[in-house]
Amino acid sequence: MRIDLLLSSYNGEKYLQQQIDSFFNQSHKDLNVIARDDGSSDNSKKILKSYNVEILSSDKNIGVKKSFSKLLEYALKSTNSNYFMFSDQDDTWKENKIEKTMQKMKEMEHQYPDKPILIHTDLEVVDENLQTIDKSFWHFGNIDPSSNAFNKLLMQNTITGCTVMINRKLAELALPIPNEAIMHDWWLGLVASKFGKIAYVDEPLIKYRQHDKNSIGAKGFSYLAVWMKFYKIFVKNELYLKHLLVNISQTKAFLDRYRNVLDKDTVTMLEEFTTIGSKSFLQKRKILVKYKLLKQGILRNTGLLLKI
Protein backbone atom coordinates (compact mmCIF):
# COMPACT_ATOMS: atom_id res chain seq x y z
CA MET A 1 0.00 0.00 0.00
CA ARG A 2 1.54 3.27 -1.13
CA ILE A 3 1.71 6.06 1.44
CA ASP A 4 2.33 9.76 0.99
CA LEU A 5 4.56 10.97 3.79
CA LEU A 6 4.20 14.72 4.29
CA LEU A 7 7.16 16.58 5.80
CA SER A 8 7.24 20.26 6.73
CA SER A 9 10.62 21.79 7.61
CA TYR A 10 11.70 25.13 9.04
CA ASN A 11 15.30 25.85 10.05
CA GLY A 12 15.69 22.19 10.91
CA GLU A 13 19.16 21.45 9.57
CA LYS A 14 20.39 20.07 12.91
CA TYR A 15 18.07 17.03 12.93
CA LEU A 16 16.46 16.91 9.48
CA GLN A 17 18.85 14.43 7.90
CA GLN A 18 18.42 11.96 10.75
CA GLN A 19 14.65 12.23 10.43
CA ILE A 20 14.61 11.63 6.66
CA ASP A 21 17.00 8.70 7.03
CA SER A 22 14.51 7.10 9.39
CA PHE A 23 11.86 7.26 6.62
CA PHE A 24 13.99 5.26 4.21
CA ASN A 25 14.88 2.75 6.92
CA GLN A 26 11.24 1.78 7.35
CA SER A 27 10.20 -1.86 6.99
CA HIS A 28 7.36 -0.58 4.78
CA LYS A 29 9.10 0.59 1.60
CA ASP A 30 6.21 1.76 -0.58
CA LEU A 31 6.23 5.43 0.36
CA ASN A 32 6.42 8.76 -1.39
CA VAL A 33 7.95 11.62 0.59
CA ILE A 34 6.53 15.07 -0.19
CA ALA A 35 8.29 17.92 1.56
CA ARG A 36 7.67 21.62 1.94
CA ASP A 37 10.15 24.04 3.47
CA ASP A 38 8.48 26.90 5.29
CA GLY A 39 10.96 29.66 4.47
CA SER A 40 14.10 28.38 6.19
CA SER A 41 17.21 30.54 6.41
CA ASP A 42 19.52 27.60 7.16
CA ASN A 43 20.47 24.55 5.04
CA SER A 44 17.10 22.77 5.34
CA LYS A 45 16.26 23.21 1.63
CA LYS A 46 19.69 21.95 0.62
CA ILE A 47 19.26 18.85 2.78
CA LEU A 48 15.83 18.15 1.26
CA LYS A 49 17.25 18.41 -2.26
CA SER A 50 19.93 15.83 -1.42
CA TYR A 51 17.24 13.13 -1.05
CA ASN A 52 14.89 11.49 -3.51
CA VAL A 53 11.87 13.39 -2.25
CA GLU A 54 9.29 15.55 -3.99
CA ILE A 55 9.60 19.19 -2.90
CA LEU A 56 6.77 21.67 -3.09
CA SER A 57 7.69 25.12 -4.27
CA SER A 58 7.50 27.61 -1.41
CA ASP A 59 8.77 31.12 -0.90
CA LYS A 60 7.41 32.29 2.42
CA ASN A 61 6.77 31.26 6.00
CA ILE A 62 3.12 30.42 6.62
CA GLY A 63 3.39 28.41 9.84
CA VAL A 64 3.23 24.71 10.56
CA LYS A 65 -0.57 24.35 10.36
CA LYS A 66 -0.91 25.95 6.93
CA SER A 67 2.22 24.21 5.68
CA PHE A 68 0.79 20.78 6.45
CA SER A 69 -2.55 21.83 5.00
CA LYS A 70 -0.87 22.75 1.71
CA LEU A 71 1.02 19.47 1.68
CA LEU A 72 -2.15 17.45 2.21
CA GLU A 73 -4.08 19.43 -0.41
CA TYR A 74 -1.28 18.86 -2.93
CA ALA A 75 -1.00 15.13 -2.17
CA LEU A 76 -4.74 14.63 -2.44
CA LYS A 77 -4.89 16.28 -5.88
CA SER A 78 -1.59 15.07 -7.33
CA THR A 79 -1.20 11.45 -6.23
CA ASN A 80 -3.27 8.30 -6.18
CA SER A 81 -2.29 7.39 -2.64
CA ASN A 82 -5.05 6.39 -0.27
CA TYR A 83 -3.05 7.02 2.89
CA PHE A 84 -1.22 10.04 4.27
CA MET A 85 1.16 10.50 7.19
CA PHE A 86 2.67 13.63 8.72
CA SER A 87 6.18 14.23 9.96
CA ASP A 88 7.99 16.89 11.93
CA GLN A 89 11.59 17.67 11.05
CA ASP A 90 13.34 16.74 14.27
CA ASP A 91 12.11 13.32 15.41
CA THR A 92 13.20 9.80 14.49
CA TRP A 93 10.79 7.12 13.35
CA LYS A 94 11.20 3.57 14.57
CA GLU A 95 11.64 1.08 11.73
CA ASN A 96 8.20 -0.49 12.09
CA LYS A 97 6.23 2.76 12.51
CA ILE A 98 4.57 2.74 9.10
CA GLU A 99 4.07 -1.03 9.09
CA LYS A 100 2.31 -1.15 12.46
CA THR A 101 0.23 1.95 11.79
CA MET A 102 -0.89 0.51 8.45
CA GLN A 103 -1.84 -2.78 10.10
CA LYS A 104 -4.18 -0.90 12.42
CA MET A 105 -5.55 1.14 9.52
CA LYS A 106 -6.39 -1.99 7.52
CA GLU A 107 -8.08 -3.53 10.56
CA MET A 108 -10.25 -0.45 10.96
CA GLU A 109 -11.08 -0.20 7.27
CA HIS A 110 -12.11 -3.86 7.25
CA GLN A 111 -14.35 -3.23 10.25
CA TYR A 112 -15.64 0.15 9.03
CA PRO A 113 -15.55 0.20 5.22
CA ASP A 114 -16.07 3.57 3.52
CA LYS A 115 -15.45 5.47 6.76
CA PRO A 116 -12.96 8.33 7.28
CA ILE A 117 -10.31 6.89 9.61
CA LEU A 118 -7.47 8.31 11.66
CA ILE A 119 -4.79 6.17 13.33
CA HIS A 120 -2.29 7.53 15.83
CA THR A 121 0.31 6.07 18.17
CA ASP A 122 2.17 6.68 21.39
CA LEU A 123 5.61 8.32 21.35
CA GLU A 124 8.84 7.88 23.28
CA VAL A 125 9.84 11.24 24.72
CA VAL A 126 13.57 11.82 24.24
CA ASP A 127 16.07 14.65 24.68
CA GLU A 128 18.00 16.24 21.83
CA ASN A 129 20.48 13.35 21.91
CA LEU A 130 17.67 10.76 21.69
CA GLN A 131 18.10 9.74 25.32
CA THR A 132 14.83 8.59 26.87
CA ILE A 133 12.95 11.03 29.10
CA ASP A 134 9.81 8.89 29.27
CA LYS A 135 9.01 5.69 27.38
CA SER A 136 5.42 6.87 26.85
CA PHE A 137 4.24 10.34 25.87
CA TRP A 138 0.76 9.37 27.01
CA HIS A 139 2.13 8.57 30.46
CA PHE A 140 4.28 11.71 30.40
CA GLY A 141 1.29 13.94 29.66
CA ASN A 142 -1.33 11.95 31.61
CA ILE A 143 -3.29 11.27 28.41
CA ASP A 144 -5.81 8.50 27.80
CA PRO A 145 -5.91 7.84 24.02
CA SER A 146 -9.17 5.89 24.31
CA SER A 147 -10.96 9.06 25.42
CA ASN A 148 -11.53 10.37 21.90
CA ALA A 149 -15.26 11.08 21.77
CA PHE A 150 -16.18 14.20 19.81
CA ASN A 151 -17.23 16.23 22.84
CA LYS A 152 -13.96 15.42 24.61
CA LEU A 153 -11.85 16.33 21.59
CA LEU A 154 -13.58 19.70 21.37
CA MET A 155 -11.98 20.52 24.70
CA GLN A 156 -8.61 18.73 24.56
CA ASN A 157 -6.53 17.32 21.74
CA THR A 158 -5.06 13.89 22.45
CA ILE A 159 -3.66 13.28 18.96
CA THR A 160 -0.06 14.08 18.06
CA GLY A 161 0.28 14.94 14.38
CA CYS A 162 3.63 13.27 13.75
CA THR A 163 2.12 9.89 14.71
CA VAL A 164 -0.95 10.18 12.48
CA MET A 165 -2.04 8.22 9.44
CA ILE A 166 -5.31 9.14 7.71
CA ASN A 167 -7.10 7.61 4.76
CA ARG A 168 -8.19 9.48 1.64
CA LYS A 169 -11.81 9.67 2.79
CA LEU A 170 -10.80 11.66 5.84
CA ALA A 171 -8.52 13.95 3.83
CA GLU A 172 -11.31 14.71 1.36
CA LEU A 173 -13.77 15.48 4.13
CA ALA A 174 -11.46 17.56 6.33
CA LEU A 175 -9.90 19.83 3.69
CA PRO A 176 -9.44 22.70 3.52
CA ILE A 177 -8.22 23.12 7.09
CA PRO A 178 -9.63 26.47 8.25
CA ASN A 179 -7.58 29.30 9.71
CA GLU A 180 -9.53 28.90 12.94
CA ALA A 181 -8.28 25.35 13.45
CA ILE A 182 -5.85 25.26 16.36
CA MET A 183 -3.63 22.70 14.62
CA HIS A 184 -4.03 20.38 11.65
CA ASP A 185 -3.99 17.24 13.82
CA TRP A 186 -6.70 18.61 16.12
CA TRP A 187 -8.96 19.44 13.16
CA LEU A 188 -8.42 16.03 11.58
CA GLY A 189 -9.22 14.41 14.91
CA LEU A 190 -12.49 16.31 15.25
CA VAL A 191 -13.60 15.38 11.74
CA ALA A 192 -12.64 11.73 12.21
CA SER A 193 -14.33 11.52 15.58
CA LYS A 194 -17.61 12.96 14.32
CA PHE A 195 -17.88 11.38 10.89
CA GLY A 196 -15.58 8.38 11.03
CA LYS A 197 -13.40 6.44 13.43
CA ILE A 198 -10.24 7.01 15.47
CA ALA A 199 -7.99 4.15 16.56
CA TYR A 200 -4.55 3.99 18.10
CA VAL A 201 -1.52 1.77 18.41
CA ASP A 202 -0.65 1.42 22.09
CA GLU A 203 3.06 1.47 21.43
CA PRO A 204 5.63 4.27 21.03
CA LEU A 205 6.69 4.19 17.37
CA ILE A 206 8.56 7.47 17.22
CA LYS A 207 11.34 9.12 19.20
CA TYR A 208 9.78 12.49 20.02
CA ARG A 209 12.73 14.81 20.37
CA GLN A 210 12.52 17.67 22.87
CA HIS A 211 14.73 20.71 22.42
CA ASP A 212 14.58 24.49 22.73
CA LYS A 213 13.19 25.03 19.20
CA ASN A 214 10.19 22.67 19.34
CA SER A 215 7.11 24.17 17.68
CA ILE A 216 4.80 22.40 20.14
CA GLY A 217 6.66 19.76 22.13
CA ALA A 218 5.76 17.47 24.99
CA LYS A 219 4.51 18.93 28.22
CA GLY A 220 4.77 16.62 31.19
CA PHE A 221 1.85 16.44 33.59
CA SER A 222 2.66 17.76 37.03
CA TYR A 223 0.26 18.32 39.92
CA LEU A 224 2.48 21.14 41.15
CA ALA A 225 2.44 22.77 37.73
CA VAL A 226 -1.35 22.55 37.57
CA TRP A 227 -1.78 24.19 40.95
CA MET A 228 0.72 26.90 40.00
CA LYS A 229 -1.42 27.55 36.94
CA PHE A 230 -4.45 27.93 39.21
CA TYR A 231 -2.52 30.55 41.18
CA LYS A 232 -1.71 32.56 38.07
CA ILE A 233 -5.30 32.44 36.88
CA PHE A 234 -7.11 33.31 40.07
CA VAL A 235 -4.66 35.30 42.18
CA LYS A 236 -3.49 37.36 39.19
CA ASN A 237 -7.01 37.64 37.74
CA GLU A 238 -6.29 36.47 34.22
CA LEU A 239 -9.20 36.59 31.78
CA TYR A 240 -11.56 33.77 32.70
CA LEU A 241 -12.25 32.68 29.13
CA LYS A 242 -8.70 33.09 27.86
CA HIS A 243 -8.07 29.37 27.57
CA LEU A 244 -11.41 28.65 25.90
CA LEU A 245 -11.37 31.30 23.18
CA VAL A 246 -9.34 29.28 20.71
CA ASN A 247 -11.49 26.20 21.33
CA ILE A 248 -14.62 28.24 20.72
CA SER A 249 -13.20 29.72 17.52
CA GLN A 250 -12.32 26.25 16.21
CA THR A 251 -15.76 24.97 17.17
CA LYS A 252 -17.46 27.80 15.29
CA ALA A 253 -15.46 26.91 12.20
CA PHE A 254 -16.49 23.26 12.53
CA LEU A 255 -20.15 24.21 12.92
CA ASP A 256 -20.03 26.55 9.93
CA ARG A 257 -18.41 23.91 7.74
CA TYR A 258 -20.54 20.90 8.63
CA ARG A 259 -23.84 22.30 9.94
CA ASN A 260 -25.86 20.85 7.07
CA VAL A 261 -24.64 17.30 7.67
CA LEU A 262 -24.71 17.29 11.46
CA ASP A 263 -27.55 15.85 13.50
CA LYS A 264 -29.78 18.26 15.42
CA ASP A 265 -28.40 17.35 18.85
CA THR A 266 -24.82 18.01 17.77
CA VAL A 267 -25.74 21.36 16.25
CA THR A 268 -27.47 22.35 19.49
CA MET A 269 -24.43 21.34 21.55
CA LEU A 270 -22.03 23.27 19.33
CA GLU A 271 -24.27 26.35 19.29
CA GLU A 272 -24.51 26.36 23.07
CA PHE A 273 -20.77 25.90 23.50
CA THR A 274 -19.86 28.69 21.09
CA THR A 275 -22.06 31.15 23.01
CA ILE A 276 -20.83 30.12 26.44
CA GLY A 277 -19.05 33.44 26.95
CA SER A 278 -22.36 35.30 27.13
CA LYS A 279 -23.93 32.92 29.64
CA SER A 280 -24.33 33.33 33.39
CA PHE A 281 -22.09 31.65 35.97
CA LEU A 282 -24.43 28.69 36.39
CA GLN A 283 -25.38 28.43 32.71
CA LYS A 284 -21.74 28.05 31.68
CA ARG A 285 -21.17 25.13 33.99
CA LYS A 286 -24.50 23.60 33.07
CA ILE A 287 -23.52 23.55 29.38
CA LEU A 288 -20.17 21.88 30.05
CA VAL A 289 -21.65 19.25 32.35
CA LYS A 290 -24.76 18.64 30.22
CA TYR A 291 -22.73 17.84 27.10
CA LYS A 292 -19.73 16.41 28.95
CA LEU A 293 -17.49 19.07 27.41
CA LEU A 294 -14.68 18.14 29.73
CA LYS A 295 -10.97 17.45 29.67
CA GLN A 296 -9.06 14.42 30.96
CA GLY A 297 -8.43 14.19 34.68
CA ILE A 298 -9.90 15.70 37.84
CA LEU A 299 -7.40 18.54 38.10
CA ARG A 300 -7.84 19.67 34.51
CA ASN A 301 -11.63 19.70 34.90
CA THR A 302 -11.46 21.41 38.27
CA GLY A 303 -9.43 24.13 36.61
CA LEU A 304 -11.83 24.33 33.68
CA LEU A 305 -14.92 24.70 35.86
CA LEU A 306 -13.21 27.29 38.06
CA LYS A 307 -11.82 29.31 35.14
CA ILE A 308 -15.03 29.92 33.29
Side-chain angles (χ1 to χ4, degrees):
M1 293 291 179
R2 189 171 181 81
I3 295 165
D4 281 346
L5 198 165
L6 311 179
L7 167 66
S8 179
S9 63
Y10 178 68
N11 290 340
E13 64 179 1
K14 188 173 183 180
Y15 307 115
L16 184 56
Q17 185 173 350
Q18 192 172 21
Q19 173 69 302
I20 298 175
D21 286 343
S22 74
F23 300 158
F24 294 108
N25 286 330
Q26 290 291 302
S27 56
H28 183 100
K29 301 298 184 183
D30 192 6
L31 69 154
N32 176 44
V33 180
I34 306 174
R36 181 188 180 278
D37 185 79
D38 197 30
S40 294
S41 57
D42 65 359
N43 289 316
S44 292
K45 289 183 181 179
K46 184 177 179 180
I47 293 171
L48 290 175
K49 290 177 180 178
S50 70
Y51 286 88
N52 182 26
V53 303
E54 186 174 0
I55 303 174
L56 263 62
S57 175
S58 58
D59 56 5
K60 62 180 180 178
N61 179 274
I62 58 175
V64 62
K65 176 182 67 181
K66 290 184 178 180
S67 186
F68 276 118
S69 182
K70 281 188 174 294
L71 280 162
L72 185 56
E73 288 171 6
Y74 172 83
L76 193 62
K77 293 177 182 178
S78 305
T79 77
N80 295 320
S81 296
N82 288 317
Y83 306 100
F84 309 93
M85 300 182 78
F86 305 86
S87 174
D88 295 336
Q89 64 186 6
D90 44 15
D91 304 317
T92 300
W93 288 18
K94 298 185 179 182
E95 291 183 1
N96 59 354
K97 180 181 188 296
I98 296 178
E99 180 183 356
K100 288 206 167 186
T101 308
M102 178 57 82
Q103 286 174 356
K104 178 60 71 173
M105 173 64 79
K106 298 312 291 182
E107 288 175 14
M108 293 298 292
E109 287 188 327
H110 179 75
Q111 189 173 358
Y112 304 101
D114 301 320
K115 283 284 189 180
I117 294 175
L118 181 151
I119 309 296
H120 65 119
T121 80
D122 199 357
L123 315 88
E124 178 185 353
V125 184
V126 300
D127 65 18
E128 61 183 59
N129 298 313
L130 300 182
Q131 297 303 304
T132 302
I133 297 173
D134 197 303
K135 292 181 179 180
S136 168
F137 172 68
W138 293 338
H139 170 265
F140 188 69
N142 194 32
I143 293 170
D144 176 7
S146 66
S147 182
N148 55 26
F150 179 67
N151 55 339
K152 294 291 184 67
L153 282 176
L154 283 172
M155 303 302 294
Q156 180 185 353
N157 186 28
T158 56
I159 296 165
T160 307
C162 58
T163 74
V164 165
M165 175 187 287
I166 65 172
N167 63 4
R168 178 170 281 266
K169 293 180 179 67
L170 178 54
E172 291 172 340
L173 184 59
L175 288 175
I177 296 172
N179 292 332
E180 296 84 359
I182 298 171
M183 281 295 286
H184 62 288
D185 52 6
W186 202 333
W187 181 260
L188 292 169
L190 286 172
V191 177
S193 178
K194 189 60 198 173
F195 300 110
K197 295 292 178 180
I198 296 174
Y200 61 91
V201 179
D202 192 6
E203 182 179 344
L205 298 178
I206 180 173
K207 289 183 179 291
Y208 192 37
R209 197 192 308 258
Q210 303 302 296
H211 55 86
D212 58 1
K213 294 184 179 180
N214 279 106
S215 175
I216 301 295
K219 295 176 176 62
F221 182 84
S222 161
Y223 289 99
L224 177 61
V226 171
W227 287 113
M228 287 300 292
K229 192 172 184 180
F230 286 178
Y231 172 82
K232 290 180 181 179
I233 291 171
F234 301 116
V235 176
K236 295 191 175 182
N237 296 317
E238 292 184 8
L239 295 174
Y240 70 101
L241 274 178
K242 178 181 179 181
H243 298 280
L244 280 179
L245 290 178
V246 289
N247 296 67
I248 291 171
S249 180
Q250 179 171 252
T251 302
K252 286 180 179 178
F254 190 93
L255 180 58
D256 289 344
R257 172 79 61 83
Y258 300 109
R259 179 186 290 271
N260 292 336
V261 292
L262 291 169
D263 60 88
K264 183 178 179 180
D265 290 343
T266 299
V267 170
T268 300
M269 176 184 72
L270 296 179
E271 287 179 337
E272 290 204 43
F273 177 55
T274 57
T275 59
I276 198 170
S278 63
K279 304 298 184 182
S280 69
F281 179 90
L282 290 177
Q283 286 174 329
K284 289 171 184 172
R285 286 146 186 82
K286 182 179 178 181
I287 289 170
L288 295 183
V289 173
K290 176 182 178 180
Y291 296 109
K292 298 181 180 179
L293 292 164
L294 301 170
K295 300 187 178 184
Q296 293 188 11
I298 294 174
L299 281 180
R300 287 189 178 113
N301 285 314
T302 301
L304 173 65
L305 293 173
L306 286 172
K307 279 188 287 186
I308 66 160

